[in-house]
Amino acid sequence: MESKVKELTEEVGGVSIATPDEAEQFRLKYLSKKGILAGLFDEFKTLAPEQRKVVGKQLNELKQLAEQKFEQSKELSTNNSSAKKETIDLSLPSEPVELGSRHPISLVRASIVDIFTKIGFTVSEGPEIEDDWHNFGALNFPEDHPARDMQDTFFVESDSDEKWLLRTHTSSVQVRVMKNQKPPIRTISPGRVYRNETISARAHCQFHQVEGLYVDEGVSFADLKQTLYYFVHEMFGQDIKIRFRPSFFPFTEPSAEMDITCIICGGKGCPVCKQSGWVEILGCGMVHPKVLENCGIDSNKYTGYAFGMGIERITMLRYQIKDLRLFFENDMRFLSQFKSVI
Ligand code: 2NL
């Protein structure tokens, strides 16, 4: 038995294990319950006590050698696989860094601001939570006007006697400008406004507006028309036609609404313009003398024009967007389409 153990020690010492498969075969052959070593230990039990001393030592050494070999092979195979996983090709170009994009409403707001600041308008901003006077009273809204109703306006709960609300237009900002500055006043006020509307493809409870105001001596409706002609041609191109229709607002007299040729069909008639060839883009008029007086401006000396437009509407026409709700959902599939327009 002594020579058998010696032979096996040499054999085990010479084995080289390269793959997990070979390691398993090695374990089965030498170290498993039915393997060669288990057989040798069974045989060992039958030896005479004086033989056991010598053979026992050799057998234990053989067992240790086999176990060592097997353990080493395990390390080898795990090293190999982790080395494979971590292979990095340092010559590859790096991942591109994705740039964000500006929201279409911000893009159009910025173009509107550009167009008007080029001809001398300043930009004025103000609070989104307003008191009743700045939003309605100063603007000549009668006490029983439906806009003052809960159904149309979001009121803010407060302990004071004053009624507070979310502004329904940015005219409230222009009221502040007129109260604080002397004419000539030439300003636009872009910003978020709120109305208690049922949300649909064409209406939302929050949207964005740009209002314009020009107050000075001798300001006329002709000035208003020319300024708006200039705006539309800058915004939509020189070929666009414009028409004014009479309208009514409590804060302007006379009042008008302005249509432009439908951008989608070029005036031929389509579902967007309801086959009329025209789309409405803004309301305007001469500032009501009562509004000037409410803000401390002498209506015998000064006149003014004003206009207001929804930024969503202009953006929908400019980019042919059919559903207003897309502006507020922040769906990346929609927003990332404006990357190239930065
Ligand atoms: C619309 C109509 C309009 C104004 C806004 C205004 C502001 C002051 C005085 C008088 Cl401080 N008027 N703004 C005038 C006419 C129309 O907006 O349809 N907006 C979306």
Side-chain angles (χ1 to χ4, degrees):
M1 183 167 180
E2 220 182 307
S3 60
K4 219 198 255 173
V5 174
K6 250 190 193 155
E7 247 172 59
L8 266 168
T9 307
E10 269 172 39
E11 186 184 303
V12 169
V15 174
S16 72
I17 302 172
T19 65
D21 264 1
E22 284 174 9
E24 180 59 9
Q25 273 164 21
F26 179 87
R27 189 189 68 80
L28 287 172
K29 184 172 176 186
Y30 297 103
L31 294 165
S32 64
K33 272 185 190 163
K34 288 179 183 164
I36 294 174
L37 279 172
L40 284 176
F41 273 99
D42 286 343
E43 203 181 326
F44 171 77
K45 284 177 203 157
T46 65
L47 290 180
E50 62 275 11
Q51 278 182 308
R52 280 196 196 176
K53 251 191 185 168
V54 192
V55 179
K57 195 169 171 262
Q58 288 174 338
L59 201 53
N60 273 329
E61 279 168 6
L62 172 60
K63 194 184 166 201
Q64 270 172 16
L65 180 71
E67 280 173 352
Q68 221 177 358
K69 237 204 170 134
F70 180 66
E71 287 304 318
Q72 274 172 3
S73 77
K74 272 206 289 193
E75 265 171 40
L76 231 142
S77 65
T78 49
N79 275 352
N80 272 350
S81 63
S82 66
K84 258 182 221 151
K85 260 188 230 148
E86 282 170 22
T87 303
I88 297 168
D89 182 350
L90 294 170
S91 68
L92 284 174
S94 60
E95 289 268 331
V97 178
E98 286 245 4
L99 278 183
S101 55
R102 294 185 70 190
H103 194 283
I105 295 292
S106 305
L107 290 169
V108 170
R109 174 189 155 136
S111 336
I112 299 172
V113 167
D114 268 0
I115 292 169
F116 283 104
T117 50
K118 260 206 273 185
I119 54 167
F121 280 77
T122 60
V123 176
S124 40
E125 288 183 297
E128 290 183 19
I129 298 176
E130 269 295 4
D131 56 80
D132 185 85
W133 189 81
H134 284 93
N135 197 80
F136 293 130
L139 288 156
N140 198 33
F141 277 79
E143 279 303 327
D144 59 354
H145 193 282
R148 290 179 174 232
D149 209 292
M150 291 270 282
Q151 253 119 47
D152 290 296
T153 301
F154 291 114
F155 288 91
V156 178
E157 278 180 25
S158 90
D159 296 332
S160 70
D161 293 340
E162 190 81 66
K163 263 201 216 162
W164 292 92
L165 47 86
L166 298 183
R167 69 183 181 194
T168 59
H169 43 210
T170 55
S171 319
S172 52
V173 179
Q174 301 185 316
V175 167
R176 285 169 192 281
V177 174
M178 285 194 282
K179 290 257 326 163
N180 298 327
Q181 288 174 32
K182 283 201 172 99
I185 292 166
R186 216 187 279 114
T187 192
I188 54 166
S189 31
R192 199 176 286 132
V193 299
Y194 303 86
R195 288 183 198 174
N196 196 354
E197 304 246 16
T198 309
I199 296 169
S200 72
R202 301 173 57 105
H204 209 283
C205 58
Q206 66 168 27
F207 57 100
H208 299 79
Q209 243 201 341
V210 177
E211 289 219 5
L213 174 73
Y214 178 24
V215 182
D216 201 355
E217 285 181 51
V219 174
S220 71
F221 202 92
D223 296 326
L224 170 64
K225 278 180 81 174
Q226 284 312 310
T227 308
L228 294 177
Y229 271 86
Y230 157 77
F231 164 69
V232 167
H233 290 148
E234 287 286 304
M235 190 75 198
F236 295 107
Q238 297 299 321
D239 297 335
I240 299 292
K241 291 194 177 60
I242 294 158
R243 74 176 186 189
F244 286 84
R245 284 178 289 106
S247 185
F248 176 82
F249 304 109
F251 32 84
T252 44
E253 184 57 40
S255 306
E257 277 169 315
M258 195 177 89
D259 300 339
I260 61 171
T261 38
C262 178
I263 312 279
I264 314 290
C265 63
K268 289 189 190 76
C270 71
V272 171
C273 61
K274 297 192 197 100
Q275 309 305 328
S276 73
W278 295 97
V279 284
E280 182 194 318
I281 65 157
L282 56 79
C284 58
M286 299 305 292
V287 180
H288 198 293
K290 272 197 194 158
V291 174
L292 293 174
E293 294 293 337
N294 288 342
C295 300
I297 291 173
D298 182 353
S299 63
N300 292 315
K301 187 170 177 197
Y302 296 106
T303 52
Y305 69 65
F307 56 85
M309 64 185 108
I311 305 183
E312 277 76 4
R313 185 152 185 77
I314 309 279
T315 312
M316 286 170 95
L317 287 171
R318 177 134 158 191
Y319 296 117
Q320 311 204 359
I321 298 162
K322 299 221 164 51
D323 194 323
L324 194 126
R325 286 168 291 198
L326 285 164
F327 293 130
F328 302 99
E329 284 164 357
N330 286 334
D331 186 329
M332 286 302 289
R333 289 168 300 181
F334 171 68
L335 294 178
S336 58
Q337 294 179 63
F338 297 90
K339 273 199 176 135
S340 53
V341 224
I342 289 184

